[in-house]
Amino acid sequence: MENASSSQQATQSETPTFFTQEELSKLKSDFETGGVENVKPLLDKKVKELENTELNIAVTGETGAGKSTFINAMRGLRSEDERAAAVGNTETTKEPTGYPHPYLPNVRYWDLPGIGSTRFTAGSYLRKMKFKKYDFFVIVAAARFTENDAKLATEIKRLGKKFYFVRSKIDADLYSMRQQRKEFDESAEMGKIRSDCVSGLGKAGIPNPTVFLISSLNKKMYDFDRLLEALADDLPNIKESVFTLALPNLSVEIIRKKGEVLKKRIWMSAILSGGVGAIPVPGLSAACDMGILIGAIIYFRECLCLDDAALRRLAERTGTSVEELKDTLKSSLLGEITVKVIVKLSLGVVAIGVSAMEVALYSVPVIGSVFGAGSSFLMTYMTLNNVLHLLMETAEQVLAFAKGAH
């Protein structure tokens, strides 16, 4: 009994945060009164809500600050990639320009004209830029933040939105200093740059600002990771999940965070995929909705940057081909997802044993434990968990390959 109690406590901590307590209670009640068919409508509604959740991120700063390069970095693109934001030193943005994420089109980064390039006050600027649509603002500067930047931040704060100061091109500044001095302490120089930014913003009316020093061309260094963490932490639960999935795979930690978000959606796909029936060996497709299974696997690949478009960009950067890259990774999940591939994965799940499957149900929130070990729900749930585990391993291999190629 002690182990069961511990498992139930763990279950509660894994309850998806994108469900309200009221929705979870309704799921449980509907299931108890009418079974699987009663909970499907609410799950359908929640899946659509998750798929349609918009995240709009505004990026502003003066001409030449590196806004476009930053937007491309956040989307996992380089300037020469298809659909990348145009990079240049000439201010061409007269109206907000939206750049959708490569695989999550409801996530958009908006390039706003710098307030210094307009004739508007901070208040009128925000009205013209359709302030209300943005979830938060990133103010980018390549040198000192200006008085206009500070006024804009003050107005954003007054209107109740979050903003972040990003000091870009830090790698170029440090390189220039290194070339001019016999003795060079990078940490000390970064401290001076940060202090200068904080001091300037303080004088312009922003008390105790946090400034992130980044290079959009070298995201693995400086404050880029800290910036991503700060952006995610300040978002409401559903949008935090969406933002996490939209991040470029810069580290093993990001890949694992994506895995946590995706795992919390597996049980919904499992319930929608099948009813309660015998373990379908070999008739898997008769008991489960193969379209849902295939769609979930393709979605996992995109979120983990393992789709063909992401692999092609990596191959181009590392001087190899997509085929050679796939051969190196040796994963059947990177090819065409067919019924045959899924059945093979599911038979491997069956080999785990029914007792292990029953234990796994403790990680399904609210209603999972009422399903028997012989359900097609369980088969789908375990198959997708297995798929996600394998894809996360592959994503970590891709990350190691990319690091080794530089």
Side-chain angles (χ1 to χ4, degrees):
M1 293 295 294
E2 184 177 343
N3 289 338
S5 175
S6 298
S7 297
Q8 288 170 347
Q9 288 175 2
T11 299
Q12 292 175 357
S13 70
E14 293 180 15
T15 299
T17 52
F18 37 72
F19 276 85
T20 65
Q21 192 56 51
E22 182 181 351
E23 288 172 329
L24 291 172
S25 297
K26 180 169 173 44
L27 276 175
K28 184 176 181 181
S29 173
D30 286 354
F31 180 82
E32 289 172 346
T33 57
V36 174
E37 293 306 315
N38 260 26
V39 302
K40 281 187 175 181
L42 181 54
L43 291 182
D44 269 324
K45 179 183 176 182
K46 180 56 66 173
V47 168
K48 287 183 174 67
E49 180 184 333
L50 291 170
E51 290 175 350
N52 294 325
T53 295
E54 290 191 357
L55 184 61
N56 291 291
I57 301 163
V59 182
T60 187
E62 297 198 345
T63 304
K67 292 179 295 177
S68 297
T69 306
F70 174 74
I71 288 171
N72 289 335
M74 294 296 291
R75 297 162 69 222
L77 302 177
R78 297 192 301 180
S79 59
E80 62 264 36
D81 290 332
E82 185 180 357
R83 295 185 295 173
V87 175
N89 291 320
T90 303
E91 179 65 64
T92 57
T93 306
K94 303 300 181 185
E95 299 290 337
T97 303
Y99 294 95
H101 192 273
Y103 57 82
L104 294 173
N106 286 340
V107 177
R108 286 185 177 84
Y109 290 87
W110 293 86
D111 186 354
L112 308 188
I115 188 171
S117 64
T118 68
R119 296 179 180 178
F120 305 105
T121 64
S124 62
Y125 172 84
L126 286 173
R127 286 193 295 275
K128 182 174 176 59
M129 296 303 119
K130 302 177 181 177
F131 166 84
K132 291 183 179 180
K133 77 184 295 179
Y134 307 114
D135 291 281
F136 59 81
F137 289 74
V138 178
I139 303 172
V140 182
R144 293 186 177 184
F145 289 95
T146 67
E147 184 178 352
N148 280 330
D149 294 326
K151 287 180 179 177
L152 180 59
T154 301
E155 187 66 11
I156 292 169
K157 183 178 181 180
R158 187 183 72 80
L159 295 171
K161 291 287 178 91
K162 293 281 187 178
F163 59 88
Y164 304 86
F165 290 111
V166 169
R167 171 66 160 79
S168 67
K169 304 182 182 181
I170 194 70
D171 53 338
D173 289 336
L174 293 174
Y175 176 80
S176 178
M177 293 176 190
R178 190 178 289 109
Q179 298 306 304
Q180 298 175 46
R181 301 176 188 176
K182 292 181 179 180
E183 295 184 4
F184 178 77
D185 184 332
E186 180 174 291
S187 179
E189 293 303 329
M190 285 184 64
K192 291 177 184 177
I193 294 172
R194 195 186 307 276
S195 295
D196 182 61
C197 291
V198 169
S199 174
L201 288 167
K203 290 176 182 177
I206 304 294
N208 304 315
T210 299
V211 176
F212 298 91
L213 310 182
I214 73 162
S215 164
S216 296
L217 299 178
N218 195 342
K219 301 186 289 292
K220 299 179 183 67
M221 296 183 68
Y222 316 118
D223 291 342
F224 211 100
D225 282 347
R226 287 182 56 244
L227 173 63
L228 298 184
E229 186 176 335
L231 299 180
D233 286 347
D234 287 337
L235 287 168
N237 290 328
I238 292 180
K239 293 200 174 188
E240 179 184 355
S241 298
V242 172
F243 182 74
T244 298
L245 295 179
L247 294 175
N249 286 0
L250 302 181
S251 65
V252 170
E253 183 181 9
I254 288 177
I255 292 170
R256 291 177 182 172
K257 283 183 178 179
K258 288 185 178 184
E260 290 170 9
V261 172
L262 293 171
K263 190 171 184 179
K264 290 176 180 178
R265 295 181 62 165
I266 286 177
W267 66 276
M268 291 190 288
S269 296
I271 291 174
L272 294 174
S273 174
V276 181
I279 290 180
V281 181
L284 177 69
S285 59
C288 300
D289 186 329
M290 295 303 291
I292 288 178
L293 277 169
I294 292 172
I297 293 170
I298 292 173
Y299 181 69
F300 289 176
R301 289 197 313 197
E302 289 177 337
C303 292
L304 291 168
C305 303
L306 295 174
D307 58 299
D308 281 349
L311 293 177
R312 184 177 64 253
R313 289 193 293 269
L314 176 60
E316 289 172 354
R317 294 171 194 175
T318 56
T320 185
S321 68
V322 174
E323 292 71 24
E324 289 172 330
L325 187 53
K326 287 183 178 181
D327 286 343
T328 300
L329 298 170
K330 295 181 172 59
S331 172
S332 61
L333 290 170
L334 298 183
E336 183 182 1
I337 304 300
T338 63
V339 173
K340 184 178 179 181
V341 170
I342 293 176
V343 169
K344 184 178 179 181
L345 287 166
S346 300
L347 293 177
V349 166
V350 172
I352 296 172
V354 171
S355 60
M357 292 182 184
E358 288 175 329
V359 171
L361 281 174
Y362 281 112
S363 66
V364 183
V366 182
I367 59 176
S369 59
V370 301
F371 286 88
S375 68
S376 57
F377 157 82
L378 180 55
M379 177 58 66
T380 305
Y381 178 80
M382 293 296 289
T383 298
L384 288 179
N385 265 284
N386 188 32
V387 164
L388 180 57
H389 175 73
L390 293 172
L391 287 175
M392 287 174 65
E393 285 186 341
T394 303
E396 290 185 23
Q397 290 173 14
V398 169
L399 178 64
F401 176 85
K403 287 182 177 178
H406 288 291

